[in-house]
Structure formats: structure tokens, C-alpha cells
């Protein structure tokens, strides 16, 4: 059943005052593309938000190597779906390595285990009974988008390997995607635009820069949720305690996996990367965006994987595409919604 919510989205900047009227048809059919690992990962909390939101219809989940290996992503997400009593949602395995980027000493030293071929650890409560589908992630993404032209939103919160492969696999794919919401990149042009993997590169784009390059230049309408907007969030112990004050299978999972983190580091504040990208699909008025040309450096030099954004095309960025870049967050409304959704009873 489709409900129509007209939304007024005001986008204000000093130089430019624009007001856009966007109409969102709910529920939004999405494919959730993720480098999933169990909590305290942001992917897991983004999935909780999606599963618990009536505005979202998850058509399928596709996994990709990123935070950890592809096998770990698949094993953990299958188990999480069982815990959430949503094992009916199909999971499709995607890329186990970036398009080009190879393991390096730097990658091993820094955050992430995308290059790993170790067996996945046992998730909380044991491995899921249900397995991933036989169909590949790319086949599922292409088939679903092509059978529902201009209807499907892709939510990509890991390296963009699966999305780039789908773009390459089917020439008509890009123009049939309704919207692609990406957690990735960091924009130096806007406040809080430093990288988190190298001085200027964000993790998801750095793991697969070539995939990010192909995707950003594909012509798909894109909403980018970069580190700039992630840095407007802070999941503190106080918010954690508010969430776990209500007992459900999801809050119990958070208690088991996040609780000891706050015990050992009570002052820690966790950035909410993927949760914000997901929330912006549920309610686009939670974020403020600016339309910018965004490109990714794929030279294997000091800026490998760095996203660069400008208000006009600059030399070398010919062919780059204008996209929405999130930079501000209505934190009070976002965190209230997050807490309320995660605390809801599971179906
Ligand atoms: O840079 C933040 C991104 O990389 C998020 O998607 C998170 O899951 C991390 O690994
Ligand atoms: Ca992620």
C-alpha cells in the first residue's frame, strides 16, 4: 500500500536560498548494500533502523567486503535477520574484493579487514540457519532494478564494488535506478571534511576508489552522506542507556555487543555514519544538502580514494556529475527517531 507524504525541504545557504518540494512515496522499496558486521558496527544499526521503519520496504540485502570479509558480512547479516525475526528477507553475496585495490601493509595496519579470507566468527547466538541465495548480488541488483524501472532506491553503505559492477553489467541500469544513497567520501569544500582512512580519504571510498569513480559518474541520481554529516552525530552512553532501557531482541543484542564498550570507555561518542544515510531515506528533511560536482581520485598516489567536490567543474574533473551532498543534520530529531525505532518490538 502506498501512502503519499508531500514534504517541504528547505535548503538554505548564505549565498543561495533554494526551496525544493519533494514528494516521497512510502514505503520506499530499497536494496540494502552493506559491508555488514554485528553491533557495534554502524551497518548493523542502520539495518535495525530500516527493519523497524514502516516507511521502508527491503527488497533484498546485498553484501560486500569492507569492514570485514564478504563471508563475515553475509554470516552476520543472516544472523541479525533471525534475531530481528525477519529471516524472510533474502541475502545475496557480492564482491569479496575491490575492483582494483589490493591488500597492502597500510591496509593491514589501519582499520578494516576487507582483504581477509579467514572464516567468519560465530555471531551472537550461533550461525543462522538460513543461507544466502544462490543468485549473486550483482544479478539480483540488476534484475530488480530492471524489472521495476525508476522505482528502486539503492542504499549503499559499504565500498561501492557491487554497485559499480551492476552499472557495468547492464547498460540500461543507471537510468533505471530511482535514487542511490551512499555513505562515503569526505568533502574538503564543506566543514568537517577530513578523511578517516588517509588524511583526506574516507574508508568506503578508499577501499574501492575505482568503484566510487564509476558510480559517481554513472548518471544515477545520487544522495551522498559523507563524513561531514556523520560528524554532526554522537552516540553517547546516555543515548545507549536510553535505547537499552526497553527490552527487545535488538536492544538485547546492543546490550551484549555495545555495553562493554561503554563500560570501558564511558566518555566515548560514536559517529553514526550509515545510520544517517539510512535515516535520510526515511525522512529526507533530517539532512541539509548542497548540489556539488563530486569526483574521486583514482591515481595510485597520495590522494588515492579521496573525494573532491566543487561548485563548478575544474580541470581534470570533466565528466563528473552533480549530486546532493549532505552536510548538516537535525540531530535532535534524528536521534529521537533512531531511539524510538530501535526500541520498537520486533515483528
Ligand atoms: O567511513 C565510514 C564507513 O566506513 C561506514 O560505512 C562504516 O561502516 C565504516 O567502516
Ligand atoms: Ca558500512
Amino acid at each position: 500500500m502506498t501512502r503519499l507524504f508531500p514534504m517541504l525541504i528547505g535548503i538554505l545557504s548564505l549565498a543561495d536560498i533554494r526551496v525544493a518540494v519533494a514528494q516521497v512515496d512510502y514505503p520506499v522499496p530499497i536494496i540494502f548494500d552493506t559491508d555488514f558486521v554485528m553491533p557495534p558496527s554502524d551497518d548493523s544499526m542502520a539495518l535495525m533502523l530500516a527493519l523497524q521503519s514502516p516507511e521502508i520496504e527491503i527488497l533484498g540485502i546485498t553484501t560486500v567486503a569492507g569492514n570485514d570479509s564478504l563471508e563475515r558480512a553475509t554470516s552476520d547479516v543472516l544472523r541479525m535477520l533471525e534475531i530481528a525475526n525477519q529471516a524472510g528477507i533474502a541475502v545475496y553475496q557480492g564482491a569479496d574484493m575491490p575492483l582494483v585495490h589490493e591488500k597492502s601493509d597500510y591496509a593491514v595496519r589501519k582499520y578494516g579487514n576487507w582483504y581477509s579470507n579467514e572464516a567468519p566468527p560465530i555471531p551472537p547466538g550461533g550461525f543462522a540457519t538460513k543461507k544466502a541465495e544462490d543468485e549473486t548480488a550483482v544479478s539480483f541488483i540488476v534484475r530488480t532494478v530492471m524489472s521495476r524501472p525508476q522505482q528502486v532506491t539503492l542504499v549503499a553503505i559499504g565500498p561501492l564494488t557491487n554497485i559499480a559492477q551492476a552499472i557495468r553489467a547492464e547498460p540500461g541500469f543507471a537510468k533505471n535506478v530511482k535514487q542511490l544513497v551512499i555513505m562515503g567520501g569526505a568533502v574538503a569544500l564543506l566543514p568537517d571534511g577530513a578523511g578517516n582512512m588517509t588524511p583526506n580519504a574516507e574508508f568506503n571510498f578508499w577501499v574501492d576508489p575505482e568503484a566510487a569513480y564509476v558510480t559517481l559518474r554513472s548518471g544515477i541520481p545520487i544522495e551522498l552522506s559523507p563524513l561531514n554529516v556523520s560528524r554532526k552525530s554522537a552516540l553517547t552512553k546516555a543515548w545507549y542507556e536510553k535505547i537499552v532501557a526497553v527490552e527487545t531482541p535488538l536492544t538485547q543484542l546492543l546490550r551484549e555487543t555495545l555495553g562493554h564498550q561503554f563500560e570501558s570507555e564511558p566518555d566515548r561518542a560514536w559517529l553514526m555514519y550509515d545510520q544517517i544515510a539510512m535515516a535520510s531515506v526515511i525522512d529526507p528533511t533530517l539532512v541539509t544538502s548542497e548540489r556539488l560536482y563530486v569526483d574521486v581520485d583514482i591515481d595510485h598516489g597520495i590522494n588515492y580514494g579521496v573525494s573532491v567536490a566543487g561548485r563548478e567543474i575544474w580541470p581534470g574533473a570533466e565528466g563528473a556529475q552533480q549530486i546532493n551532498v549532505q552536510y548538516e543534520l537535525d540531530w535532535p530529531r534524528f536521534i529521537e527517531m533512531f531511539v524510538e525505532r530501535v526500541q520498537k518490538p520486533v515483528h
Side-chain angles (χ1 to χ4, degrees), residues 34-249:
T34 174
D35 56 335
F36 195 90
V37 280
M38 276 288 176
S41 85
D42 54 335
D43 294 73
S44 66
M45 288 187 248
L47 182 57
M48 289 181 188
L49 186 55
L51 290 170
Q52 298 283 89
S53 292
E55 298 90 344
I56 300 298
E57 178 195 4
I58 303 179
L59 303 176
I61 297 175
T62 52
T63 54
V64 66
N67 283 311
D68 210 296
S69 68
L70 177 71
E71 288 72 18
R72 170 100 191 252
T74 309
S75 159
D76 277 7
V77 82
L78 284 163
R79 177 63 191 139
M80 166 100 176
L81 288 172
E82 272 188 359
I83 293 169
N85 205 17
Q86 298 263 14
I89 296 176
V91 175
Y92 302 83
Q93 292 204 86
D96 63 355
M97 282 294 282
L99 297 180
V100 177
H101 201 168
E102 288 182 1
K103 179 181 178 180
S104 64
D105 291 345
Y106 184 79
V108 172
R109 269 202 319 279
K110 297 284 283 186
Y111 173 77
N113 216 11
W114 46 274
Y115 44 78
S116 165
N117 54 13
E118 286 167 24
I122 301 172
F127 288 109
T129 309
K130 204 180 145 196
K131 304 290 175 220
E133 306 299 310
D134 289 335
E135 186 178 10
T136 66
V138 171
S139 167
F140 169 73
I141 293 169
V142 170
R143 174 172 65 79
T144 307
V145 165
M146 297 308 282
S147 66
R148 301 178 65 162
Q150 296 289 322
Q151 289 177 33
V152 178
T153 292
L154 307 177
V155 180
I157 56 174
L160 291 163
T161 323
N162 292 339
I163 308 300
Q165 287 180 339
I167 291 163
R168 285 179 165 172
E170 166 56 58
F173 175 79
K175 64 173 182 296
N176 282 306
V177 176
K178 180 166 190 191
Q179 189 189 25
L180 167 60
V181 179
I182 298 171
M183 191 288 130
V187 171
L189 181 72
L190 300 172
D192 299 319
N196 62 357
M197 194 61 194
T198 72
N200 292 316
E202 179 277 333
F203 179 80
N204 288 337
F205 277 20
W206 182 84
V207 170
D208 199 338
E210 284 78 10
Y213 180 88
V214 168
T215 303
L216 291 182
R217 287 171 166 252
S218 65
I220 298 174
I222 292 175
E223 176 85 18
L224 189 71
S225 192
L227 291 177
N228 307 70
V229 72
S230 316
R231 290 184 172 122
K232 310 298 182 202
S233 65
L235 180 59
T236 58
K237 188 163 187 265
W239 285 113
Y240 159 77
E241 282 172 348
K242 196 164 180 180
I243 294 168
V244 299
V246 174
E247 184 79 15
T248 78

